[in-house]
Amino acid sequence: MSQRKTQAFLVVPVQQDVALTSIALGIVSTLQRLGVEVGFAKPVAQEINDRSCAFSRQIFKTDSPDSIPLDAVAERIASNQTADLLEDIVASCMKASQNANILVIEGLHADATYNFASQFNTSIANTLKANIILVGNASVPSAITDLRLAIRQFTREGCKVAGVVLNMAPEGFDSEAVKSQLGSTPLWGVVPETPGLQAFRMLDVARHLKAEVVSEGEINTRRVSHVAVAARSGPYFISHLQPGALIITSGDRHDVILSTALAVSRGMPIAGILLTHNSEIDPKLMELVGPVFDGGVPILRTGSDTFRTARRVIEIPKAVPEDDIERMNMVLETVAEHLDTETISASFHIPENTKLSPPAFRYQLIQKARAAGKRIVLPEGDEPRTVRAAAICTEKGIAHCILLGKREAIENVATLQGITLPEGLEIVDPDEIRANYVAPMVELRKSKGLTPDQAIAQLDDTVVLGTMMRAVCEVDGLVSGAVHTTASTVRPALQLIKTAPGSSIVSSVFFMLMPDQVLVYGDCAINPTPTAEQLAEIAKQSSDSAIAFGIQPKVAMISYSTGTSGAGEDVEKVRQATEIARAKDPDLVIDGPLQYDAASVIEVGRQKAPKSQVAGQATVFVFPDLNTGNTTYKAVQRSANVVSVGPMLQGLRKPVNDLSRGALVDDIVFTIALTAIQAQAGSEQ
């Protein structure tokens, strides 16, 4: 562990069933959020198909070596080869810690067959000079006693216990009381029991039951949060038709099939249907309901009876399957949310890192948004993704969200989607406030001759209404575009909010979450053919946006030529834009024209532009036109499987942001956070 003075932490359970993998990888996630370069290793595999290293490689892109099977470890210990075994483990951990400042090691849990697990954890810790992180199950009555005993035991063995994590904490768990009982050992965090994280896929149901797939539908993505067994007739069964319900029934229960089809037709996102007794749905009935289920509802069939089938479903293992990356990401997000970053940070020195990693970017984004405490209006108030995103932002304190729409319609969407509308989520009926903005809108547009009747007509559009709420400073920002076009979002902003002082245009940036750092791409959404002067302004706006979000700007003006190697009208425009930007802001670190590879690859940059401060290390990429910018961002996003956050609009007097109509819920959440931070930055200027 000495090549980079890597500090090692061995994560050790004090009981069975503490979800050790989730906690160990959750610690990795937390450290990455802090901008730390982290490695991960699990020296010994206690499962036939070990998931820990696989998840680490897929989610965190670590170079985690394969684990040694437990049987092989036991055989070598019995053969007095413990010293050689530990040497192999050291070599494995050395490999895992390359280019890392912290190495997280998952230890062994107690094993009924092999009684050496506890002592071997001590041997690993002492050999690697690793600090111990103890993990306990908070729902177990003896949890604190077990932790205190483990602390004393490891201390006697010469190990340092750096912290404690408690998992599966029941509601009302007293963390402060635990801290006092642990004495000087820090409590790194308390993770609550979260039933929603145990929602397995219909694919997992099919695998566990070895069920026949009658209709695949969205078998890979639909999740089971509720098991509904058709034990009674249709009217009594209706109450069990909930979002995420797995309907277990025989095919001849026509009342159940029809009730389910009706619920699905109204937008109820059930998980799927599991037919028992090797039964099938009557062909004539299937003609009627088939088109409804074709929307994605998986249908499975098994030979066992309804009761036994339900029991077998309940017995599906809680462990997250290796290929369920979505669920594991949700688990790790929950763990990381409940770990105390200040306490953890005090356990080691965080080296300064000029690159902002994607996890650190996302973490800082949420933290800055929370600190800003801004009011964000969402004009598409009854759009399902928007409702869910608003609920998440409210629950997490990211922003005070205001949904424009009829309360009944929004509540119906929430019910059908299984969304709980939290306290603090504001719903405003457009009909009740529209009249308040007629006079202000007429005043803002008087130079264009806008009449009150025209204002009333335009305010029927909730995007215009929301924009007016921002124009008169009743909200801090607006996010729209899940169902509206970019023009529908941007046009009212230009008319009513206008450009910021010193800005002549509105542009956009995407934050590209590359594997090792976050890059800024602009303009990829707004200006088709910017002039040299406009391109220079986009460069400045994009640089300012990078700074606002913790990214050190090094601006590359992209072209098909680097330096003086090429000529042409397009190259000359980029060269002029670079000179204009540099003249207006001498402190701006900018260079161009640069080809993309010369801007992004250090070796190519040194060869093609050896004197450049930007070549090979650019963090902000400004494209010469919309065709190039939009094509590049989408090519990188799709071919490299890179998450992009945005577009974020720049140059407006007050923040308004547009969404892609294909935006996911997380995209909307992050855009709301971006908007809140923009609003905060604007208020500080």
Side-chain angles (χ1 to χ4, degrees), residues 325-358:
I325 302 301
E326 180 188 36
R327 182 179 164 197
M328 180 52 80
N329 273 320
M330 290 190 291
V331 170
L332 299 183
E333 176 75 17
T334 300
V335 173
E337 280 284 321
H338 291 88
L339 294 182
D340 188 336
T341 54
E342 290 187 8
T343 300
I344 293 173
S345 299
S347 301
F348 55 86
H349 171 68
I350 301 176
E352 186 174 347
N353 190 349
T354 57
K355 291 183 178 180
L356 184 66
S357 69

PDB file of all heavy atoms in Angstrom, residues 325-358:
ATOM      1  N   ILE A 325     -27.939  -3.108 -12.115  1.00  0.00           N
ATOM      2  CA  ILE A 325     -27.151  -1.927 -11.797  1.00  0.00           C
ATOM      3  C   ILE A 325     -28.041  -0.789 -11.311  1.00  0.00           C
ATOM      4  O   ILE A 325     -27.664  -0.017 -10.412  1.00  0.00           O
ATOM      5  CB  ILE A 325     -26.339  -1.483 -13.026  1.00  0.00           C
ATOM      6  CG1 ILE A 325     -25.421  -2.608 -13.491  1.00  0.00           C
ATOM      7  CG2 ILE A 325     -25.508  -0.241 -12.710  1.00  0.00           C
ATOM      8  CD1 ILE A 325     -24.432  -3.076 -12.457  1.00  0.00           C
ATOM      9  N   GLU A 326     -29.226  -0.676 -11.892  1.00  0.00           N
ATOM     10  CA  GLU A 326     -30.147   0.393 -11.491  1.00  0.00           C
ATOM     11  C   GLU A 326     -30.478   0.310 -10.004  1.00  0.00           C
ATOM     12  O   GLU A 326     -30.405   1.306  -9.274  1.00  0.00           O
ATOM     13  CB  GLU A 326     -31.430   0.325 -12.313  1.00  0.00           C
ATOM     14  CG  GLU A 326     -32.447   1.409 -11.957  1.00  0.00           C
ATOM     15  CD  GLU A 326     -33.784   1.217 -12.639  1.00  0.00           C
ATOM     16  OE1 GLU A 326     -34.212   0.055 -12.802  1.00  0.00           O
ATOM     17  OE2 GLU A 326     -34.406   2.223 -13.005  1.00  0.00           O
ATOM     18  N   ARG A 327     -30.817  -0.885  -9.547  1.00  0.00           N
ATOM     19  CA  ARG A 327     -31.183  -1.053  -8.138  1.00  0.00           C
ATOM     20  C   ARG A 327     -29.985  -0.824  -7.232  1.00  0.00           C
ATOM     21  O   ARG A 327     -30.101  -0.166  -6.184  1.00  0.00           O
ATOM     22  CB  ARG A 327     -31.781  -2.440  -7.913  1.00  0.00           C
ATOM     23  CG  ARG A 327     -32.234  -2.692  -6.485  1.00  0.00           C
ATOM     24  CD  ARG A 327     -32.839  -4.074  -6.358  1.00  0.00           C
ATOM     25  NE  ARG A 327     -32.944  -4.531  -4.992  1.00  0.00           N
ATOM     26  CZ  ARG A 327     -33.123  -5.793  -4.639  1.00  0.00           C
ATOM     27  NH1 ARG A 327     -33.248  -6.719  -5.581  1.00  0.00           N
ATOM     28  NH2 ARG A 327     -33.194  -6.142  -3.355  1.00  0.00           N
ATOM     29  N   MET A 328     -28.813  -1.353  -7.618  1.00  0.00           N
ATOM     30  CA  MET A 328     -27.642  -1.154  -6.786  1.00  0.00           C
ATOM     31  C   MET A 328     -27.284   0.324  -6.698  1.00  0.00           C
ATOM     32  O   MET A 328     -26.877   0.807  -5.644  1.00  0.00           O
ATOM     33  CB  MET A 328     -26.471  -1.974  -7.318  1.00  0.00           C
ATOM     34  CG  MET A 328     -25.186  -1.808  -6.481  1.00  0.00           C
ATOM     35  SD  MET A 328     -25.401  -2.080  -4.670  1.00  0.00           S
ATOM     36  CE  MET A 328     -25.382  -3.822  -4.554  1.00  0.00           C
ATOM     37  N   ASN A 329     -27.449   1.058  -7.785  1.00  0.00           N
ATOM     38  CA  ASN A 329     -27.203   2.504  -7.735  1.00  0.00           C
ATOM     39  C   ASN A 329     -28.141   3.185  -6.746  1.00  0.00           C
ATOM     40  O   ASN A 329     -27.731   4.107  -6.020  1.00  0.00           O
ATOM     41  CB  ASN A 329     -27.357   3.128  -9.121  1.00  0.00           C
ATOM     42  CG  ASN A 329     -26.066   3.085  -9.924  1.00  0.00           C
ATOM     43  OD1 ASN A 329     -24.982   3.305  -9.387  1.00  0.00           O
ATOM     44  ND2 ASN A 329     -26.176   2.836 -11.227  1.00  0.00           N
ATOM     45  N   MET A 330     -29.392   2.746  -6.703  1.00  0.00           N
ATOM     46  CA  MET A 330     -30.339   3.312  -5.745  1.00  0.00           C
ATOM     47  C   MET A 330     -29.924   2.992  -4.312  1.00  0.00           C
ATOM     48  O   MET A 330     -30.025   3.839  -3.418  1.00  0.00           O
ATOM     49  CB  MET A 330     -31.758   2.792  -6.025  1.00  0.00           C
ATOM     50  CG  MET A 330     -32.379   3.319  -7.306  1.00  0.00           C
ATOM     51  SD  MET A 330     -34.146   2.919  -7.459  1.00  0.00           S
ATOM     52  CE  MET A 330     -34.098   1.136  -7.692  1.00  0.00           C
ATOM     53  N   VAL A 331     -29.466   1.759  -4.098  1.00  0.00           N
ATOM     54  CA  VAL A 331     -28.993   1.359  -2.776  1.00  0.00           C
ATOM     55  C   VAL A 331     -27.810   2.219  -2.352  1.00  0.00           C
ATOM     56  O   VAL A 331     -27.764   2.744  -1.229  1.00  0.00           O
ATOM     57  CB  VAL A 331     -28.611  -0.137  -2.770  1.00  0.00           C
ATOM     58  CG1 VAL A 331     -27.887  -0.498  -1.470  1.00  0.00           C
ATOM     59  CG2 VAL A 331     -29.842  -1.018  -2.948  1.00  0.00           C
ATOM     60  N   LEU A 332     -26.826   2.367  -3.247  1.00  0.00           N
ATOM     61  CA  LEU A 332     -25.628   3.126  -2.919  1.00  0.00           C
ATOM     62  C   LEU A 332     -25.944   4.596  -2.698  1.00  0.00           C
ATOM     63  O   LEU A 332     -25.333   5.245  -1.847  1.00  0.00           O
ATOM     64  CB  LEU A 332     -24.585   2.963  -4.030  1.00  0.00           C
ATOM     65  CG  LEU A 332     -24.095   1.527  -4.278  1.00  0.00           C
ATOM     66  CD1 LEU A 332     -23.017   1.505  -5.346  1.00  0.00           C
ATOM     67  CD2 LEU A 332     -23.584   0.910  -2.981  1.00  0.00           C
ATOM     68  N   GLU A 333     -26.896   5.128  -3.457  1.00  0.00           N
ATOM     69  CA  GLU A 333     -27.319   6.512  -3.265  1.00  0.00           C
ATOM     70  C   GLU A 333     -27.889   6.702  -1.864  1.00  0.00           C
ATOM     71  O   GLU A 333     -27.586   7.688  -1.178  1.00  0.00           O
ATOM     72  CB  GLU A 333     -28.366   6.884  -4.318  1.00  0.00           C
ATOM     73  CG  GLU A 333     -28.956   8.279  -4.178  1.00  0.00           C
ATOM     74  CD  GLU A 333     -28.017   9.366  -4.616  1.00  0.00           C
ATOM     75  OE1 GLU A 333     -27.041   9.073  -5.327  1.00  0.00           O
ATOM     76  OE2 GLU A 333     -28.265  10.523  -4.250  1.00  0.00           O
ATOM     77  N   THR A 334     -28.703   5.741  -1.424  1.00  0.00           N
ATOM     78  CA  THR A 334     -29.298   5.820  -0.090  1.00  0.00           C
ATOM     79  C   THR A 334     -28.229   5.721   0.991  1.00  0.00           C
ATOM     80  O   THR A 334     -28.242   6.487   1.963  1.00  0.00           O
ATOM     81  CB  THR A 334     -30.338   4.703   0.093  1.00  0.00           C
ATOM     82  OG1 THR A 334     -31.363   4.848  -0.890  1.00  0.00           O
ATOM     83  CG2 THR A 334     -30.958   4.762   1.482  1.00  0.00           C
ATOM     84  N   VAL A 335     -27.307   4.784   0.838  1.00  0.00           N
ATOM     85  CA  VAL A 335     -26.226   4.639   1.819  1.00  0.00           C
ATOM     86  C   VAL A 335     -25.410   5.919   1.900  1.00  0.00           C
ATOM     87  O   VAL A 335     -25.154   6.459   2.987  1.00  0.00           O
ATOM     88  CB  VAL A 335     -25.330   3.437   1.482  1.00  0.00           C
ATOM     89  CG1 VAL A 335     -24.114   3.398   2.419  1.00  0.00           C
ATOM     90  CG2 VAL A 335     -26.099   2.128   1.587  1.00  0.00           C
ATOM     91  N   ALA A 336     -24.991   6.427   0.741  1.00  0.00           N
ATOM     92  CA  ALA A 336     -24.160   7.630   0.713  1.00  0.00           C
ATOM     93  C   ALA A 336     -24.880   8.834   1.302  1.00  0.00           C
ATOM     94  O   ALA A 336     -24.271   9.677   1.951  1.00  0.00           O
ATOM     95  CB  ALA A 336     -23.710   7.920  -0.724  1.00  0.00           C
ATOM     96  N   GLU A 337     -26.196   8.913   1.095  1.00  0.00           N
ATOM     97  CA  GLU A 337     -26.980  10.025   1.639  1.00  0.00           C
ATOM     98  C   GLU A 337     -26.954  10.045   3.156  1.00  0.00           C
ATOM     99  O   GLU A 337     -27.120  11.101   3.761  1.00  0.00           O
ATOM    100  CB  GLU A 337     -28.432   9.935   1.161  1.00  0.00           C
ATOM    101  CG  GLU A 337     -28.677  10.438  -0.238  1.00  0.00           C
ATOM    102  CD  GLU A 337     -28.671  11.958  -0.324  1.00  0.00           C
ATOM    103  OE1 GLU A 337     -29.193  12.597   0.593  1.00  0.00           O
ATOM    104  OE2 GLU A 337     -28.149  12.506  -1.296  1.00  0.00           O
ATOM    105  N   HIS A 338     -26.771   8.871   3.777  1.00  0.00           N
ATOM    106  CA  HIS A 338     -26.874   8.785   5.228  1.00  0.00           C
ATOM    107  C   HIS A 338     -25.526   8.592   5.918  1.00  0.00           C
ATOM    108  O   HIS A 338     -25.472   8.366   7.126  1.00  0.00           O
ATOM    109  CB  HIS A 338     -27.838   7.654   5.620  1.00  0.00           C
ATOM    110  CG  HIS A 338     -29.261   7.953   5.277  1.00  0.00           C
ATOM    111  ND1 HIS A 338     -29.810   7.654   4.047  1.00  0.00           N
ATOM    112  CD2 HIS A 338     -30.244   8.560   5.997  1.00  0.00           C
ATOM    113  CE1 HIS A 338     -31.068   8.036   4.028  1.00  0.00           C
ATOM    114  NE2 HIS A 338     -31.360   8.581   5.185  1.00  0.00           N
ATOM    115  N   LEU A 339     -24.449   8.686   5.169  1.00  0.00           N
ATOM    116  CA  LEU A 339     -23.129   8.674   5.786  1.00  0.00           C
ATOM    117  C   LEU A 339     -22.686  10.114   6.024  1.00  0.00           C
ATOM    118  O   LEU A 339     -22.939  11.003   5.217  1.00  0.00           O
ATOM    119  CB  LEU A 339     -22.124   7.937   4.899  1.00  0.00           C
ATOM    120  CG  LEU A 339     -22.362   6.441   4.702  1.00  0.00           C
ATOM    121  CD1 LEU A 339     -21.261   5.824   3.847  1.00  0.00           C
ATOM    122  CD2 LEU A 339     -22.455   5.712   6.037  1.00  0.00           C
ATOM    123  N   ASP A 340     -22.027  10.326   7.131  1.00  0.00           N
ATOM    124  CA  ASP A 340     -21.616  11.667   7.556  1.00  0.00           C
ATOM    125  C   ASP A 340     -20.281  12.022   6.913  1.00  0.00           C
ATOM    126  O   ASP A 340     -19.228  11.547   7.335  1.00  0.00           O
ATOM    127  CB  ASP A 340     -21.513  11.700   9.085  1.00  0.00           C
ATOM    128  CG  ASP A 340     -21.271  13.106   9.637  1.00  0.00           C
ATOM    129  OD1 ASP A 340     -20.740  13.972   8.900  1.00  0.00           O
ATOM    130  OD2 ASP A 340     -21.599  13.342  10.817  1.00  0.00           O
ATOM    131  N   THR A 341     -20.313  12.862   5.886  1.00  0.00           N
ATOM    132  CA  THR A 341     -19.098  13.178   5.138  1.00  0.00           C
ATOM    133  C   THR A 341     -18.074  13.926   5.989  1.00  0.00           C
ATOM    134  O   THR A 341     -16.871  13.744   5.823  1.00  0.00           O
ATOM    135  CB  THR A 341     -19.433  14.005   3.886  1.00  0.00           C
ATOM    136  OG1 THR A 341     -20.196  15.158   4.256  1.00  0.00           O
ATOM    137  CG2 THR A 341     -20.241  13.184   2.902  1.00  0.00           C
ATOM    138  N   GLU A 342     -18.547  14.764   6.911  1.00  0.00           N
ATOM    139  CA  GLU A 342     -17.598  15.492   7.767  1.00  0.00           C
ATOM    140  C   GLU A 342     -16.843  14.542   8.690  1.00  0.00           C
ATOM    141  O   GLU A 342     -15.626  14.664   8.868  1.00  0.00           O
ATOM    142  CB  GLU A 342     -18.348  16.552   8.582  1.00  0.00           C
ATOM    143  CG  GLU A 342     -18.863  17.717   7.741  1.00  0.00           C
ATOM    144  CD  GLU A 342     -19.456  18.818   8.588  1.00  0.00           C
ATOM    145  OE1 GLU A 342     -19.330  18.737   9.834  1.00  0.00           O
ATOM    146  OE2 GLU A 342     -20.029  19.768   8.023  1.00  0.00           O
ATOM    147  N   THR A 343     -17.571  13.598   9.289  1.00  0.00           N
ATOM    148  CA  THR A 343     -16.923  12.620  10.169  1.00  0.00           C
ATOM    149  C   THR A 343     -15.959  11.744   9.385  1.00  0.00           C
ATOM    150  O   THR A 343     -14.844  11.466   9.835  1.00  0.00           O
ATOM    151  CB  THR A 343     -17.988  11.746  10.856  1.00  0.00           C
ATOM    152  OG1 THR A 343     -18.856  12.576  11.630  1.00  0.00           O
ATOM    153  CG2 THR A 343     -17.345  10.727  11.778  1.00  0.00           C
ATOM    154  N   ILE A 344     -16.385  11.320   8.187  1.00  0.00           N
ATOM    155  CA  ILE A 344     -15.530  10.470   7.360  1.00  0.00           C
ATOM    156  C   ILE A 344     -14.286  11.243   6.912  1.00  0.00           C
ATOM    157  O   ILE A 344     -13.170  10.727   6.949  1.00  0.00           O
ATOM    158  CB  ILE A 344     -16.317   9.936   6.152  1.00  0.00           C
ATOM    159  CG1 ILE A 344     -17.410   8.976   6.633  1.00  0.00           C
ATOM    160  CG2 ILE A 344     -15.391   9.239   5.156  1.00  0.00           C
ATOM    161  CD1 ILE A 344     -18.358   8.522   5.541  1.00  0.00           C
ATOM    162  N   SER A 345     -14.465  12.486   6.502  1.00  0.00           N
ATOM    163  CA  SER A 345     -13.343  13.304   6.029  1.00  0.00           C
ATOM    164  C   SER A 345     -12.284  13.504   7.100  1.00  0.00           C
ATOM    165  O   SER A 345     -11.093  13.635   6.794  1.00  0.00           O
ATOM    166  CB  SER A 345     -13.847  14.665   5.544  1.00  0.00           C
ATOM    167  OG  SER A 345     -14.743  14.533   4.480  1.00  0.00           O
ATOM    168  N   ALA A 346     -12.717  13.509   8.353  1.00  0.00           N
ATOM    169  CA  ALA A 346     -11.773  13.702   9.452  1.00  0.00           C
ATOM    170  C   ALA A 346     -10.853  12.499   9.655  1.00  0.00           C
ATOM    171  O   ALA A 346      -9.852  12.586  10.366  1.00  0.00           O
ATOM    172  CB  ALA A 346     -12.533  13.994  10.749  1.00  0.00           C
ATOM    173  N   SER A 347     -11.190  11.380   8.985  1.00  0.00           N
ATOM    174  CA  SER A 347     -10.408  10.158   9.168  1.00  0.00           C
ATOM    175  C   SER A 347      -9.206  10.065   8.235  1.00  0.00           C
ATOM    176  O   SER A 347      -8.390   9.163   8.367  1.00  0.00           O
ATOM    177  CB  SER A 347     -11.298   8.917   8.956  1.00  0.00           C
ATOM    178  OG  SER A 347     -12.385   8.911   9.865  1.00  0.00           O
ATOM    179  N   PHE A 348      -9.103  10.972   7.281  1.00  0.00           N
ATOM    180  CA  PHE A 348      -7.990  10.917   6.339  1.00  0.00           C
ATOM    181  C   PHE A 348      -7.791  12.283   5.700  1.00  0.00           C
ATOM    182  O   PHE A 348      -8.621  13.177   5.813  1.00  0.00           O
ATOM    183  CB  PHE A 348      -8.245   9.867   5.253  1.00  0.00           C
ATOM    184  CG  PHE A 348      -9.540  10.074   4.518  1.00  0.00           C
ATOM    185  CD1 PHE A 348      -9.632  10.917   3.429  1.00  0.00           C
ATOM    186  CD2 PHE A 348     -10.685   9.413   4.943  1.00  0.00           C
ATOM    187  CE1 PHE A 348     -10.833  11.104   2.777  1.00  0.00           C
ATOM    188  CE2 PHE A 348     -11.886   9.593   4.288  1.00  0.00           C
ATOM    189  CZ  PHE A 348     -11.955  10.443   3.216  1.00  0.00           C
ATOM    190  N   HIS A 349      -6.664  12.428   5.027  1.00  0.00           N
ATOM    191  CA  HIS A 349      -6.359  13.653   4.309  1.00  0.00           C
ATOM    192  C   HIS A 349      -6.837  13.522   2.871  1.00  0.00           C
ATOM    193  O   HIS A 349      -6.483  12.562   2.169  1.00  0.00           O
ATOM    194  CB  HIS A 349      -4.852  13.921   4.322  1.00  0.00           C
ATOM    195  CG  HIS A 349      -4.434  15.044   3.420  1.00  0.00           C
ATOM    196  ND1 HIS A 349      -4.765  16.361   3.672  1.00  0.00           N
ATOM    197  CD2 HIS A 349      -3.716  15.040   2.260  1.00  0.00           C
ATOM    198  CE1 HIS A 349      -4.283  17.118   2.694  1.00  0.00           C
ATOM    199  NE2 HIS A 349      -3.640  16.345   1.829  1.00  0.00           N
ATOM    200  N   ILE A 350      -7.674  14.469   2.429  1.00  0.00           N
ATOM    201  CA  ILE A 350      -8.158  14.479   1.060  1.00  0.00           C
ATOM    202  C   ILE A 350      -7.197  15.295   0.206  1.00  0.00           C
ATOM    203  O   ILE A 350      -7.048  16.501   0.410  1.00  0.00           O
ATOM    204  CB  ILE A 350      -9.573  15.075   0.959  1.00  0.00           C
ATOM    205  CG1 ILE A 350     -10.556  14.276   1.827  1.00  0.00           C
ATOM    206  CG2 ILE A 350     -10.041  15.075  -0.487  1.00  0.00           C
ATOM    207  CD1 ILE A 350     -11.953  14.860   1.843  1.00  0.00           C
ATOM    208  N   PRO A 351      -6.495  14.665  -0.724  1.00  0.00           N
ATOM    209  CA  PRO A 351      -5.562  15.425  -1.560  1.00  0.00           C
ATOM    210  C   PRO A 351      -6.300  16.356  -2.507  1.00  0.00           C
ATOM    211  O   PRO A 351      -7.431  16.082  -2.914  1.00  0.00           O
ATOM    212  CB  PRO A 351      -4.819  14.332  -2.337  1.00  0.00           C
ATOM    213  CG  PRO A 351      -5.787  13.195  -2.379  1.00  0.00           C
ATOM    214  CD  PRO A 351      -6.567  13.252  -1.089  1.00  0.00           C
ATOM    215  N   GLU A 352      -5.666  17.459  -2.835  1.00  0.00           N
ATOM    216  CA  GLU A 352      -6.260  18.403  -3.777  1.00  0.00           C
ATOM    217  C   GLU A 352      -6.279  17.775  -5.165  1.00  0.00           C
ATOM    218  O   GLU A 352      -5.314  17.222  -5.643  1.00  0.00           O
ATOM    219  CB  GLU A 352      -5.460  19.706  -3.800  1.00  0.00           C
ATOM    220  CG  GLU A 352      -6.102  20.793  -4.641  1.00  0.00           C
ATOM    221  CD  GLU A 352      -5.370  22.111  -4.539  1.00  0.00           C
ATOM    222  OE1 GLU A 352      -4.524  22.259  -3.639  1.00  0.00           O
ATOM    223  OE2 GLU A 352      -5.635  22.999  -5.377  1.00  0.00           O
ATOM    224  N   ASN A 353      -7.420  17.904  -5.823  1.00  0.00           N
ATOM    225  CA  ASN A 353      -7.595  17.311  -7.148  1.00  0.00           C
ATOM    226  C   ASN A 353      -8.176  18.366  -8.074  1.00  0.00           C
ATOM    227  O   ASN A 353      -9.255  18.897  -7.820  1.00  0.00           O
ATOM    228  CB  ASN A 353      -8.522  16.089  -7.063  1.00  0.00           C
ATOM    229  CG  ASN A 353      -8.543  15.282  -8.353  1.00  0.00           C
ATOM    230  OD1 ASN A 353      -8.038  15.718  -9.379  1.00  0.00           O
ATOM    231  ND2 ASN A 353      -9.109  14.094  -8.290  1.00  0.00           N
ATOM    232  N   THR A 354      -7.439  18.674  -9.137  1.00  0.00           N
ATOM    233  CA  THR A 354      -7.907  19.712 -10.055  1.00  0.00           C
ATOM    234  C   THR A 354      -9.059  19.232 -10.928  1.00  0.00           C
ATOM    235  O   THR A 354      -9.794  20.044 -11.482  1.00  0.00           O
ATOM    236  CB  THR A 354      -6.759  20.196 -10.962  1.00  0.00           C
ATOM    237  OG1 THR A 354      -6.222  19.072 -11.676  1.00  0.00           O
ATOM    238  CG2 THR A 354      -5.651  20.853 -10.142  1.00  0.00           C
ATOM    239  N   LYS A 355      -9.211  17.924 -11.072  1.00  0.00           N
ATOM    240  CA  LYS A 355     -10.315  17.384 -11.850  1.00  0.00           C
ATOM    241  C   LYS A 355     -11.526  17.153 -10.955  1.00  0.00           C
ATOM    242  O   LYS A 355     -11.412  16.601  -9.872  1.00  0.00           O
ATOM    243  CB  LYS A 355      -9.920  16.061 -12.523  1.00  0.00           C
ATOM    244  CG  LYS A 355      -8.894  16.185 -13.631  1.00  0.00           C
ATOM    245  CD  LYS A 355      -8.643  14.842 -14.275  1.00  0.00           C
ATOM    246  CE  LYS A 355      -7.659  14.938 -15.430  1.00  0.00           C
ATOM    247  NZ  LYS A 355      -7.420  13.606 -16.059  1.00  0.00           N
ATOM    248  N   LEU A 356     -12.672  17.591 -11.423  1.00  0.00           N
ATOM    249  CA  LEU A 356     -13.911  17.360 -10.696  1.00  0.00           C
ATOM    250  C   LEU A 356     -14.548  16.079 -11.232  1.00  0.00           C
ATOM    251  O   LEU A 356     -14.969  16.017 -12.381  1.00  0.00           O
ATOM    252  CB  LEU A 356     -14.866  18.543 -10.864  1.00  0.00           C
ATOM    253  CG  LEU A 356     -16.174  18.473 -10.057  1.00  0.00           C
ATOM    254  CD1 LEU A 356     -15.878  18.538  -8.564  1.00  0.00           C
ATOM    255  CD2 LEU A 356     -17.118  19.588 -10.462  1.00  0.00           C
ATOM    256  N   SER A 357     -14.601  15.031 -10.400  1.00  0.00           N
ATOM    257  CA  SER A 357     -15.151  13.760 -10.825  1.00  0.00           C
ATOM    258  C   SER A 357     -16.671  13.838 -10.919  1.00  0.00           C
ATOM    259  O   SER A 357     -17.298  14.662 -10.249  1.00  0.00           O
ATOM    260  CB  SER A 357     -14.751  12.656  -9.848  1.00  0.00           C
ATOM    261  OG  SER A 357     -15.404  12.833  -8.598  1.00  0.00           O
ATOM    262  N   PRO A 358     -17.314  12.969 -11.727  1.00  0.00           N
ATOM    263  CA  PRO A 358     -18.778  12.972 -11.802  1.00  0.00           C
ATOM    264  C   PRO A 358     -19.476  12.794 -10.457  1.00  0.00           C
ATOM    265  O   PRO A 358     -20.414  13.523 -10.158  1.00  0.00           O
ATOM    266  CB  PRO A 358     -19.068  11.813 -12.770  1.00  0.00           C
ATOM    267  CG  PRO A 358     -17.871  11.774 -13.653  1.00  0.00           C
ATOM    268  CD  PRO A 358     -16.713  12.093 -12.753  1.00  0.00           C
TER     269      PRO A 358
END
